[in-house]
Amino acid sequence: MESNTKLIEDFIFQLRKAENTKKAYQRDLEVFNRYLSKVNISMDDLTQQTVQLFISSLENGSVKNTKGNRYSPSSINRIFAAICMYCDYSNQRDCTKEIDINKPSHISKQAPKSIETEEIETIRLRVANSKKASSQRDLAIVDMLMLTGIRVSELVNLTKNDIEYSKRDKLYYIHINTSKGDKARKIPVNKDKFKYINRYLDSRNDESEYVFISNRQSQLTTRSIQLMLKEFDITPHMLRHSFATKLARSGNDLSMIANMCGHSIAVAERYTQPTDKQKAEAIAKAFTLD
């Protein structure tokens, strides 16, 4: 319904959130709008039963995503959170009370999806040999995400002034000054590991302040990096998770991992969660049955 689209736009406009967050809320509310449009219900005339039926439709798979797949529990909870915010804004709070919804396990209890060392080297080789004009830059992006664990939103805002080299330590320090939750931090990277990032920067003859730029010498967007990595079947989050998981598996202190990732210790604990493969290997090692 066009009227609902206008209501969503008005709600999004008044939100004091980052642009990416606003877009996420808008996408989730449009899912709700498409459901409501089938029965011509206005978002200013909701009931608890309407919201419950929608959530149940998401959970039983009768409402699917744009790829034709069922929504995951975490996606359903995210959509419901957007509805709750809208109902709070439109004074319809009772519509979201006592909604029966399956809660996903807490993020700290989930083993994050990361990439094994062998896979990373294969991906780096594919990127370097992609025949694209941007292959040198793309490899530098993969290395920066892998070596620092920074968020893609932090990467696109990274400037040359944020990179400091210490001759004494033979380390590059990556300064993250604007971050989620405003947690400024500094990440050290060994000089030898920085080789391909340096090669990319040395190849530049532009005056842009940003570490990574587009072919038109403008600042990259988070979306452009996501699409580039998608060609190699990875995401920025997977590289970030791999960074933290490697540190955790090496026996590093959780407080250090949390500090470098800009996480709380509770969230950093998820990187110590064993994968299904690790569980299977542990069982096979413990029980030698012929």
Side-chain angles (χ1 to χ4, degrees):
M1 289 176 63
E2 289 186 12
S3 59
N4 282 348
T5 299
K6 180 63 168 60
L7 291 171
I8 292 171
E9 288 174 351
D10 290 344
F11 165 67
I12 297 298
F13 178 77
Q14 58 82 45
L15 279 178
R16 293 184 178 180
K17 300 282 185 181
E19 285 305 312
N20 285 345
T21 304
K22 286 184 175 182
K23 289 177 183 177
Y25 279 127
Q26 187 158 10
R27 284 194 299 270
D28 288 340
L29 289 174
E30 282 299 340
V31 176
F32 189 33
N33 180 24
R34 287 194 291 274
Y35 175 84
L36 297 176
S37 297
K38 294 179 181 178
V39 285
N40 204 33
I41 294 177
S42 170
M43 287 187 67
D44 267 357
D45 192 25
L46 297 174
T47 65
Q48 193 268 356
Q49 185 177 11
T50 299
V51 175
Q52 181 63 74
L53 286 171
F54 171 64
I55 295 299
S56 298
S57 296
L58 292 176
E59 291 185 332
N60 65 30
S62 58
V63 172
K64 293 181 171 61
N65 62 23
T66 53
K67 294 182 179 180
N69 299 323
R70 295 178 67 140
Y71 283 94
S72 66
S74 58
S75 295
I76 295 171
N77 275 264
R78 189 195 65 232
I79 293 170
F80 179 58
I83 294 172
C84 288
M85 286 194 67
Y86 176 81
C87 287
D88 187 58
Y89 157 80
S90 58
N91 293 317
Q92 301 181 94
R93 298 177 186 85
D94 288 345
C95 297
T96 57
K97 289 182 178 179
E98 298 181 8
I99 297 296
D100 186 18
I101 182 171
N102 293 323
K103 296 290 183 182
S105 58
H106 190 272
I107 188 172
S108 65
K109 301 302 180 184
Q110 301 169 9
K113 188 174 182 179
S114 60
I115 312 169
E116 297 301 324
T117 302
E118 303 79 21
E119 294 178 274
I120 291 168
E121 291 309 311
T122 300
I123 289 165
R124 292 180 72 244
L125 190 60
R126 286 176 60 198
V127 174
N129 291 279
S130 65
K131 308 297 183 184
K132 292 170 62 178
S134 61
S135 61
Q136 188 176 47
R137 181 207 66 188
D138 296 347
L139 179 58
I141 288 173
V142 170
D143 281 2
M144 182 66 84
L145 290 170
M146 187 69 234
L147 293 169
T148 64
I150 61 176
R151 301 177 177 90
V152 65
S153 58
E154 295 167 344
L155 182 132
V156 297
N157 288 308
L158 201 63
T159 68
K160 294 173 183 176
N161 289 335
D162 293 328
I163 300 178
E164 170 197 359
Y165 179 64
S166 169
K167 289 183 179 180
R168 184 189 66 183
D169 301 332
K170 293 184 179 180
L171 293 173
Y172 282 93
Y173 291 98
I174 313 302
H175 295 267
I176 307 299
N177 300 310
T178 55
S179 175
K180 186 177 180 180
D182 295 323
K183 295 179 181 178
R185 61 194 192 279
K186 180 173 67 174
I187 306 163
V189 179
N190 189 284
K191 176 186 176 182
D192 296 336
K193 300 292 185 183
F194 219 71
K195 179 169 60 176
Y196 293 103
I197 299 171
N198 269 335
R199 284 188 185 179
Y200 163 67
L201 291 173
D202 289 343
S203 72
R204 297 252 302 270
N205 56 9
D206 57 86
E207 297 181 359
S208 175
E209 65 176 322
Y210 293 104
V211 175
F212 300 104
I213 57 174
S214 71
N215 294 334
R216 297 180 180 178
Q217 299 185 357
S218 59
Q219 182 184 13
L220 287 171
T221 64
T222 58
R223 185 60 177 161
S224 66
I225 293 177
Q226 289 165 345
L227 290 173
M228 180 273 288
L229 294 177
K230 188 177 180 181
E231 295 179 30
F232 305 100
D233 304 315
I234 56 174
T235 67
H237 272 303
M238 288 170 70
L239 293 172
R240 177 169 161 80
H241 291 165
S242 298
F243 168 81
T245 299
K246 281 179 175 294
L247 291 177
R249 289 180 183 175
S250 298
N252 290 290
D253 187 75
L254 278 178
S255 62
M256 184 188 73
I257 298 172
N259 179 273
M260 285 201 284
C261 289
H263 275 321
S264 66
I265 291 179
V267 173
E269 283 180 346
R270 67 190 300 231
Y271 299 109
T272 65
Q273 299 298 316
T275 63
D276 289 340
K277 182 179 178 181
Q278 288 173 315
K279 292 175 184 176
E281 289 175 349
I283 292 172
K285 187 176 180 180
F287 300 97
T288 54
L289 302 178
D290 294 328

